[in-house]
Amino acid sequence: MKIKAPYHHKLDEILADSSKFQRITKNPVDDIKRDANRIIETINAASNAPQLMLIVGDYDLGYIYGNVQTHKPGNRLRPIISQIPAPTYQIAKKLNTILIPYIPDDHSLKSSAEFTEALRMTPLGGVMTSMDVESLFKNVPVDEKAQIILDSVYRDDPTPSIKHP
């Protein structure tokens, strides 16, 4: 029990940051399902693209846990928010498969092996940066990223061929 106390304390400190987390008093799952289904119905009605599935069934809220960063002083926690039990998880996966072809490969790497190879191939004097992601997608500027995707889709590149599973 004593081993878990520091973990829980560190997780409580992360959750206490009101700029990133908000305490809720009501389970929002049904409202999220209703709102998401309204959006899905609107998209399906207006699009010739593959139809998005309505959200049906029982779901729960996402949950948070922390991975201990043993390589950092104080064994900080890296918060992980799992959305797997949430009502929007499957639709997010579907949207991901639709959007992936529009993400340019020339400025991103998919694995540490690709990063190692890029370092090996970078000429001396070149610049290579790696960014540590804080709270995964919590701090991604959504409006800016949406505009980049829209510019790529409608102004720059022809529509890529999309493979659907």
Side-chain angles (χ1 to χ4, degrees):
M1 189 64 151
K2 288 184 181 186
I3 294 174
K4 290 183 182 180
Y7 172 87
H8 287 279
H9 178 72
K10 289 175 184 182
L11 203 51
D12 286 342
E13 285 179 345
I14 291 168
L15 292 172
D17 183 350
S18 62
S19 72
K20 296 182 180 178
F21 298 98
Q22 178 182 357
R23 184 173 296 278
I24 58 173
T25 57
K26 176 187 173 242
N27 186 335
V29 168
D30 290 336
D31 293 339
I32 291 169
K33 279 176 47 177
R34 184 185 60 249
D35 293 346
N37 279 335
R38 192 175 304 129
I39 293 168
I40 291 167
E41 287 172 341
T42 302
I43 291 169
N44 285 344
S47 174
N48 293 329
Q51 299 291 302
L52 301 174
M53 300 291 290
L54 290 175
I55 301 168
V56 295
D58 294 327
Y59 293 90
D60 288 315
L61 294 173
Y63 58 90
I64 188 169
Y65 61 96
N67 281 347
V68 179
Q69 295 177 301
T70 56
H71 61 288
K72 296 204 175 177
N75 292 329
R76 295 183 342 179
L77 286 183
R78 171 170 284 144
I80 308 294
I81 300 173
S82 175
Q83 294 295 321
I84 293 172
T88 53
Y89 179 72
Q90 290 301 322
I91 194 71
K93 283 179 58 174
K94 178 65 174 176
L95 290 172
N96 187 58
T97 64
I98 293 169
L99 295 174
I100 283 289
Y102 295 102
I103 297 173
D105 286 336
D106 55 344
H107 296 294
S108 62
L109 302 171
K110 294 177 180 50
S111 69
S112 57
E114 281 187 37
F115 182 69
T116 302
E117 181 63 18
L119 282 176
R120 195 173 68 71
M121 300 303 290
T122 301
L124 293 177
V127 176
M128 176 76 65
T129 62
S130 173
M131 296 179 201
D132 189 19
V133 177
E134 180 181 324
S135 300
L136 297 179
F137 298 106
K138 177 68 177 149
N139 295 319
V140 172
V142 175
D143 292 340
E144 180 183 340
K145 298 306 174 202
Q147 190 59 52
I148 290 169
I149 292 169
L150 290 172
D151 288 346
S152 176
V153 171
Y154 293 108
R155 293 193 188 110
D156 299 338
D157 300 327
T159 303
S161 59
I162 300 173
K163 297 176 185 172
H164 299 285

